[in-house]
Amino acid sequence: MYIYLVPSPIPDVLAAYPHLTLRSEEQVRLAIETTERLLHIEPDDSIAAYETFDAAGSWTGGSFAVFNNIPVTEDGRDDFEDRFKNRARKVEDEPGFVGIRVLRPLKDDTYVVLTLWESEDHFKSWQQSQAYNHAHRNRSTSEGLTAQKPAMFPRASFVTTYTIE
């Protein structure tokens, strides 16, 4: 699977693809999930392109999207991906969870952990849950990837959120 994030309005060449409309205070982006790689649009610098290497749940049905953007060095990719392939998978059981896509960048160094929720309140409840604490328990410890391999993260990660229209 591949996901493309496209600035709004959607270009005519992509209009036939089903998409989610993602709105933040700063921008409107369209997210296309497809089984095929769209090589004809990847060179466009305004379009972010990803390959999904881990997924669960649905792509549709949510009203809130969270993008955890994590820059990873070339040397750190395998360790980073292994970590997510072996994750606890507790988020899938949370009330209001719709879907998760863990995305490998095709054009830059920033991975995205995209979660889709029924509402922002459901996401906030997940952040306060024991399952969230379990999933992130090693984050600031010597067992966490940041402590073990600090050079694999060239910059700080950041979160962006969107309402889904």
Side-chain angles (χ1 to χ4, degrees):
M1 285 296 218
Y2 297 91
I3 292 181
Y4 295 89
L5 299 177
V6 181
S8 182
I10 195 163
D12 290 341
V13 69
L14 300 175
Y17 291 93
H19 60 273
L20 301 177
T21 301
L22 307 172
R23 181 177 299 278
S24 71
E25 290 182 15
E26 296 84 32
Q27 63 184 330
V28 176
R29 297 176 91 180
L30 306 167
I32 298 169
E33 184 177 55
T34 178
T35 57
E36 61 187 283
R37 195 157 173 188
L38 305 178
L39 297 174
H40 62 290
I41 67 164
E42 285 183 18
D44 186 328
D45 288 338
S46 70
I47 296 174
Y50 303 92
E51 181 177 13
T52 303
F53 72 86
D54 187 22
S58 178
W59 178 246
T60 60
S63 70
F64 191 70
V66 179
F67 287 61
N68 189 0
N69 303 273
I70 308 168
V72 178
T73 64
E74 189 68 35
D75 292 341
R77 285 179 169 233
D78 289 340
D79 289 333
F80 181 82
E81 290 184 19
D82 285 345
R83 173 102 171 193
F84 274 93
K85 288 175 187 171
N86 296 307
R87 64 189 174 83
R89 302 192 180 278
K90 298 209 180 261
V91 68
E92 287 95 325
D93 297 327
E94 284 299 303
F97 170 82
V98 174
I100 185 171
R101 302 294 185 269
V102 186
L103 308 176
R104 176 187 302 121
L106 296 177
K107 300 190 320 183
D108 63 22
D109 68 351
T110 304
Y111 282 75
V112 174
V113 180
L114 165 59
T115 53
L116 302 165
W117 299 91
E118 288 178 15
S119 70
E120 183 176 4
D121 287 340
H122 283 104
F123 169 69
K124 288 180 178 179
S125 291
W126 150 248
Q127 287 184 302
Q128 302 301 316
S129 72
Q130 289 182 339
Y132 179 90
N133 289 334
H134 176 77
H136 299 91
R137 69 188 179 282
N138 292 332
R139 179 181 279 172
S140 298
T141 70
S142 62
E143 295 177 32
L145 276 179
T146 304
Q148 291 176 8
K149 301 179 182 197
M152 75 184 287
F153 300 107
R155 297 177 307 287
S157 63
F158 62 97
V159 173
T160 50
T161 60
Y162 299 90
T163 57
I164 301 172
E165 298 177 347

